[in-house]
Amino acid sequence: MPKIAVLEADAVIALDIAKSIEQANLASVDVFESFGALEPELTEQHFNLLVIDIGDNREEDIQTATRVYRDFGIHCIVISDHIASASLVKLREAEPLGMLVKPFSSRELIANVETGLYRVSMEQKLRDSERRYRNLFAYSLSARCISAFDGAILERNNAFETQFGLPQKIRNIQELFTEESIWNRVLDSLEKGQVLQEELRTRDSGEGARDVLSSFSYFQDEQNETRVLCEFIDITESKRLRDELFQSQKLEAIGRLAGGVAHDLNNFLTSMIGSLEMIRLDAGTSKEISEDIAGMEHVIQKTSALTRQLLGFSRRKSFSPAVLDLREVLSDSYKMLKRLIPEKIYISLSLPDSPCPVIADAGHIEQILLNLVVNARDALETADNPHISILLSHTAVKREKAGKSLVPEGNYALIEVKDNGIGIEPAVMEKIFEPFFTTKGEGKGTGLGLSIVSSLLDLNGGYIGAESTPGAGTTFRIWLPLAKGSQTSEVSEASSVLPTENIYNHYASELKGKRILIVDDDESVLATCKRTLERAGCLTETCVNAGEALLLLEHHTFDLLLVDIVLPGVYGTELWQRLKKGNSVVSCLYMTGYEPHSLGVEAEEPILLKPFAPAALIEACAKAIKRGRA
């Protein structure tokens, strides 16, 4: 319930006023004879209204009413002996909400008190509303400001200053926009009674360019002036992550597409290799035919190497370190890199005469080279006589700095990637290996290339450093420890194309009469495998999917299941797991045109990688049957 203070020297009048107000149930009333008695209570209690008797326009009582309003914000209702213009002028500072002239009735008193309390409550609600707005405005996490129609910023909150700079840095909201037409679009929208909300890119006001979700609406200030309320939510980071996700999804889709193309191409190559070998066997000793076949085999080998590179560059690989000769890895990568570089850019490769054996993942080395060469290509856009050189050498390191790391003492293979491009500023060099840091324009770089290079080298025990001269080019150096006492691996993902006469004779006793079930969704592969194995004396059946194979196995048994891993519906791996539980097939040999580690095949399982030669097929089948008997 509201509370009213009555300042009245006449006790009878004071009691009558208090009784009338309380009987009307308007408020509780405290009566005071003098301001000296009232003043301490003003600091202890909250009064909504003061009823004060100024008698014959007493100066001290008028000053009391003014002081109570000025110092404590309490409005008053004045009781006077008569109305005088002089007293009204003096009372103006107290802003009384009503005036009673003696003698007055109880009804007049109640009417004035009701009006006064109503106005006080409305003012309190307005103050509360303004306070809530101020708190929402000042402490909002989004950047907010109030501007005039010419864009001049009248008020801003803390988030705005944090995001866009202090008042001395930006005074007009139009300074944020990259286009002059944006503010006109805001005003046009507001004139139509619409709240404009859209995503904008702001200028760099010293805090960096930002992507913001913006909102513009009308706002009435305390003076009832119409202003523009501008609100900005920073979405720079979320937009960057969204773009990175989209880019990642595109790369993943490209990887799947490349894998599918390479798989189909490997199937075709397998059929071609098998057909050529059959022609070789039928042709006998014809020199001319043998030369033609050798030429075609050479083309097939180059195509097979291209499919391996395609898979290596486009698909995600598990970490599979092995002993490698870097000369071979760089030589294979160089052929692919030349296709990625525009013809106007000259790219060269220099390799040592002696082997460079290292223990590393070949796919990782290829990806590292790809990222460095693509960076060099971008740096050469405006260069005269653009040139990229890749050099491999042996080096003995005592103690050398590589970026923020030190290369320990030892013998290393050193890869250098040099360009004569725009170079890198010294202030930027310390940040080039940080994730998402890029100096390229918007949409031209993710800032992940060199970060990935650094991470892959850490994984493979290598080190990277860079030197650059602005305007003269950049050199990246990679140190990989040389493998001690190891021979480089000569294992290839595709078997060589070899004559099969000796292979047939060697494995004839093991294969003759053996029953082999061949399952592949590519009919050309089925035909090639069937012809090759039947020529070796095997009995074969072919199926294009797992369903056909299961129906056939209900009535027949086989010594070997030769199955493609990726089949429509049920994969070859799942088919073999089902058949293991019965006695219809003794052993299994997988074949695939994909990378086997991405297909969930156990490491000890034998796999024949497409494209394969008939000799490789015969040898692998013979070993698989022998392993099944054991």
Side-chain angles (χ1 to χ4, degrees):
M1 177 176 284
K3 199 167 187 178
I4 296 176
V6 176
L7 184 57
E8 173 61 66
D10 189 319
V12 175
I13 296 176
L15 183 60
D16 187 49
I17 292 172
K19 186 177 179 181
S20 297
I21 294 173
E22 289 179 344
Q23 283 182 344
N25 201 29
L26 295 177
S28 60
V29 181
D30 288 347
V31 177
F32 302 93
E33 294 182 357
S34 64
F35 179 69
L38 171 63
E39 186 175 20
E41 297 299 322
L42 292 174
T43 57
E44 297 292 332
Q45 301 185 56
H46 174 70
F47 292 100
N48 300 88
L49 195 62
L50 170 66
V51 178
I52 182 171
D53 189 349
I54 62 172
D56 189 15
N57 301 323
R58 291 188 295 271
E59 185 72 27
E60 64 272 17
D61 291 328
I62 294 174
Q63 291 179 355
T64 295
T66 303
R67 182 179 175 185
V68 169
Y69 176 70
R70 184 183 63 240
D71 296 346
F72 300 98
I74 301 175
H75 285 284
C76 65
I77 293 177
V78 175
I79 300 173
S80 177
D81 291 345
H82 55 83
I83 298 177
S85 58
S87 65
L88 288 176
V89 173
K90 295 175 182 178
L91 275 171
R92 190 171 296 163
E93 290 185 36
E95 296 188 18
L97 301 181
M99 177 171 284
L100 294 168
V101 180
K102 298 175 183 177
F104 55 86
S105 66
S106 176
R107 182 179 298 175
E108 291 176 297
L109 172 65
I110 297 303
N112 274 267
V113 170
E114 281 183 335
T115 302
L117 289 175
Y118 176 78
R119 288 188 56 185
V120 167
S121 67
M122 289 300 100
E123 287 188 7
Q124 184 62 43
K125 289 180 179 179
L126 181 59
R127 284 195 297 271
D128 291 343
S129 176
E130 290 177 353
R131 188 183 306 111
R132 284 195 299 271
Y133 162 75
R134 286 296 166 194
N135 289 337
L136 288 172
F137 178 84
Y139 302 113
S140 171
L141 293 177
S142 60
R144 294 180 175 181
C145 72
I146 298 172
S147 72
F149 286 103
D150 61 357
I153 297 177
L154 308 174
E155 194 171 349
R156 68 191 75 202
N157 66 356
N158 294 333
F160 188 94
E161 292 187 359
T162 301
Q163 189 165 314
F164 300 118
L166 299 173
Q168 58 267 30
K169 290 186 178 180
I170 177 171
R171 301 178 182 275
N172 192 297
I173 195 67
Q174 298 185 63
E175 297 173 18
L176 285 179
F177 304 139
T178 55
E179 302 174 17
E180 295 181 0
S181 61
I182 293 178
W183 186 243
N184 293 331
R185 193 162 71 248
V186 170
L187 297 180
D188 290 343
S189 178
L190 294 178
E191 286 180 4
K192 296 176 183 177
Q194 300 172 352
V195 175
L196 181 63
Q197 294 180 334
E198 63 179 63
E199 188 176 313
L200 297 175
R201 178 77 172 174
T202 68
R203 285 179 182 164
D204 186 354
S205 59
E207 306 297 324
R210 316 297 296 173
D211 292 299
V212 295
L213 185 63
S214 59
S215 174
F216 304 91
S217 59
Y218 277 139
F219 170 76
Q220 300 287 336
D221 65 8
E222 291 88 341
Q223 288 74 39
N224 208 32
E225 295 283 344
T226 302
R227 307 296 187 189
V228 180
L229 176 61
C230 313
E231 183 173 5
F232 305 95
I233 299 175
D234 191 345
I235 59 171
T236 306
E237 185 67 11
S238 62
K239 187 173 184 295
R240 181 188 64 76
L241 293 174
R242 183 179 63 198
D243 292 343
E244 292 295 340
L245 176 60
F246 180 63
Q247 183 70 11
S248 174
Q249 289 171 338
K250 286 200 300 183
L251 292 175
E252 185 178 351
I254 292 172
R256 288 196 298 268
L257 175 62
V261 170
H263 172 265
D264 291 343
L265 190 56
N266 283 333
N267 280 337
F268 301 152
L269 293 176
T270 300
S271 300
M272 293 170 65
I273 293 171
S275 298
L276 284 174
E277 197 59 47
M278 294 301 105
I279 294 173
R280 186 199 300 277
L281 292 174
D282 293 338
T285 58
S286 173
K287 182 179 179 182
E288 291 79 6
I289 295 177
S290 296
E291 289 177 353
D292 291 339
I293 291 174
M296 296 177 68
E297 288 173 347
H298 180 66
V299 174
I300 291 174
Q301 286 178 331
K302 292 179 67 175
T303 307
S304 176
L306 179 61
T307 61
R308 293 199 305 273
Q309 290 175 354
L310 187 62
L311 286 170
F313 278 114
S314 63
R315 292 188 65 84
R316 194 174 295 174
K317 285 186 170 184
S318 59
F319 181 50
S320 304
V323 180
L324 309 169
D325 186 348
L326 280 181
R327 296 181 305 170
E328 297 179 4
V329 178
L330 266 61
S331 180
D332 289 342
S333 299
Y334 176 66
K335 298 171 186 176
M336 174 66 77
L337 293 171
K338 284 201 300 184
R339 299 182 179 92
L340 298 175
I341 302 301
E343 292 183 359
K344 67 176 183 177
I345 298 177
Y346 176 69
I347 181 170
S348 62
L349 174 65
S350 176
L351 300 175
D353 295 331
S354 58
C356 283
V358 297
I359 300 176
D361 186 299
H364 289 177
I365 301 301
E366 291 172 343
Q367 187 172 359
I368 289 168
L369 283 173
L370 174 64
N371 287 346
L372 292 180
V373 170
V374 168
N375 272 1
R377 178 200 65 188
D378 295 341
L380 291 167
E381 289 182 351
T382 59
D384 296 327
N385 300 317
H387 177 220
I388 300 173
S389 59
I390 305 171
L391 301 93
L392 176 63
S393 61
H394 301 82
T395 184
V397 174
K398 290 188 176 180
R399 192 175 180 84
E400 192 162 346
K401 187 175 182 182
K404 297 180 180 180
S405 304
L406 287 175
V407 182
E409 183 177 350
N411 295 318
Y412 292 84
L414 175 62
I415 304 173
E416 297 178 276
V417 180
K418 300 181 179 180
D419 67 71
N420 60 338
I422 58 176
I424 304 172
E425 296 292 336
V428 176
M429 284 293 290
E430 295 184 359
K431 301 179 180 179
I432 59 175
F433 295 109
E434 294 178 4
F436 305 113
F437 177 80
T438 180
T439 57
K440 298 177 184 178
E442 184 176 355
K444 293 185 177 181
T446 63
L448 290 173
L450 290 178
S451 173
I452 291 173
V453 168
S454 179
S455 299
L456 291 179
L457 282 171
D458 287 343
L459 194 61
N460 288 275
Y463 304 87
I464 186 169
E467 290 182 3
S468 184
T469 302
T474 304
T475 300
F476 283 93
R477 292 186 177 87
I478 294 171
W479 292 266
L480 288 165
L482 288 171
K484 299 178 181 179
S486 299
Q487 297 296 322
T488 56
S489 175
E490 299 293 339
V491 177
S492 172
E493 290 181 349
S495 299
S496 301
V497 182
L498 299 173
T500 57
E501 293 91 344
N502 294 335
I503 296 295
Y504 280 133
N505 295 331
H506 183 75
Y507 293 106
S509 60
E510 296 185 26
L511 291 177
K512 190 172 183 179
K514 297 297 186 291
R515 294 180 56 79
I516 299 178
L517 175 60
I518 310 168
V519 185
D520 197 299
D521 59 334
D522 190 293
E523 293 184 359
S524 64
V525 174
L526 287 177
T528 299
C529 292
K530 181 179 180 66
R531 287 178 60 193
T532 302
L533 293 172
E534 286 183 349
R535 193 154 189 162
C538 299
L539 303 174
T540 65
E541 293 286 348
T542 60
C543 298
V544 295
N545 56 53
E548 285 188 10
L550 290 171
L551 290 174
L552 187 63
L553 287 164
E554 289 180 359
H555 307 287
H556 302 279
T557 60
F558 293 89
D559 298 288
L560 178 66
L561 170 68
L562 176 61
V563 61
D564 190 17
I565 295 177
V566 180
L567 293 172
V570 178
Y571 270 27
T573 49
E574 185 179 347
L575 174 62
W576 174 235
Q577 292 300 321
R578 293 186 186 183
L579 297 178
K580 273 184 177 181
K581 301 175 182 178
N583 298 316
S584 55
V585 179
V586 178
S587 184
C588 175
L589 174 62
Y590 292 126
M591 54 182 173
T592 184
Y594 291 105
E595 293 180 347
H597 66 261
S598 64
L599 301 175
V601 181
E602 297 180 5
E604 64 273 8
E605 293 282 358
I607 301 177
L608 193 58
L609 298 181
K610 299 175 183 178
F612 50 78
L617 173 62
I618 293 169
E619 182 179 0
C621 288
K623 290 181 177 179
I625 291 173
K626 184 178 181 180
R627 184 172 51 253
R629 288 201 305 267

